[in-house]
């Protein structure tokens, strides 16, 4: 089984990059499942239904998100109706939307789970305990996790914690792809961060000038999405096979 994951789509140029590159990438890789993180697709913060539809039209099966999922209030209008639009599972209280989706691929139940870290991020429910609780009811499924988090340490710790229970964990949120794709000892395909999809020449998807000015002056600046110039699409591809009666990752590359 092959899964393709595309990193954070940033702004209109991110949607354009997805539209431009994903079809050919899918023709080459032939994944059974394509997942895209879309939480920055509307102006760099949030997602509206039109962005969600654009991402699906480009070839995604499931859209994941993270800390910016609520930034455009219009997300409330459709997130309950679209079970392939995910928000992090570990939000506290009775928030709208779904944190995971289970589909069937060649007789195998595959669950895509969206989780969010808490280190240097807003203090939502502890993702480690949230995963334990989630896993109690999903032990027979192949579990793919988009762990949306800021720090490399929390991401690696979470990966080590779920190794042997989940089969894939990719990180999102930092917009910079890490060079550490590996299969952990108990079969988890792991990548700290997949990176982003959008402008190549900005800074994490935003215009360089204001970010640099912030460092020069230490004063707040309004960050705008870089919508011009060259584009990039960052992704990871994961192959999984049945070994010892349990699905394990064969390899992950990015
Ligand atoms: Fe984020």
């Amino acid at each position: 089984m092959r899964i393709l994951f595309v990193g954070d789509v940033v702004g209109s140029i991110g949607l354009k990059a997805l539209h431009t590159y994903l079809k050919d990438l899918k023709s080459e890789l032939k994944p059974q499942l394509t997942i895209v993180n879309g939480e920055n697709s509307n102006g760099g913060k949030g997602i509206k239904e039109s962005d969600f539809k654009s991402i699906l039209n480009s070839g995604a099966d499931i859209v994941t998100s993270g800390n910016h999922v609520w930034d455009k209030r219009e997300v409330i209008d459709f997130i309950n109706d679209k079970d392939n639009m995910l928000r992090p599972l570990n939000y506290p209280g009775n928030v709208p939307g779904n944190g995971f989706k289970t589909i069937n691929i060649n007789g195998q139940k595959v669950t895509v789970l969206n989780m969010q870290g808490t280190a240097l991020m807003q203090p939502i429910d502890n993702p480690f305990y949230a995963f334990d609780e989630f896993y109690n009811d999903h032990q027979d499924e192949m579990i793919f996790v988009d762990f949306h988090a800021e720090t490399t340490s929390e991401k690696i710790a979470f990966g080590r914690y779920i190794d042997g229970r989940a089969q894939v964990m990719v990180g999102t949120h930092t917009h910079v792809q890490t060079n550490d794709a590996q299969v952990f000892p108990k079969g988890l395909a792991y990548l700290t961060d997949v990176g982003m999809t959008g402008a190549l020449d900005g800074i994490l998807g935003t215009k360089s000038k204001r970010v640099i000015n912030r460092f020069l002056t230490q004063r707040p600046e309004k960050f705008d999405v870089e919508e011009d110039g060259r584009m990039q699409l960052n992704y990871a591809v994961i192959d999984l096979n049945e070994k010892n009666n349990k699905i394990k990752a064969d390899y992950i590359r990015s």
Side-chain angles (χ1 to χ4, degrees), residues 8 37 39-40 44 65-69 116 121 148-150 172-175:
D8 311 25
N37 186 299
E39 71 141 12
N40 302 122
S65 64
N67 58 311
H68 288 302
V69 65
Q116 187 173 310
M121 297 185 93
H148 196 80
E150 178 72 34
T172 55
H173 179 67
T174 71
H175 295 191

Side-chain angles (χ1 to χ4, degrees), residues 1 108 240-250:
M1 183 191 307
Q108 172 70 48
L240 299 120
N241 269 316
E242 191 115 12
K243 287 179 183 169
N244 305 322
N245 297 321
K246 185 151 176 70
I247 293 273
K248 287 189 177 185
D250 256 5

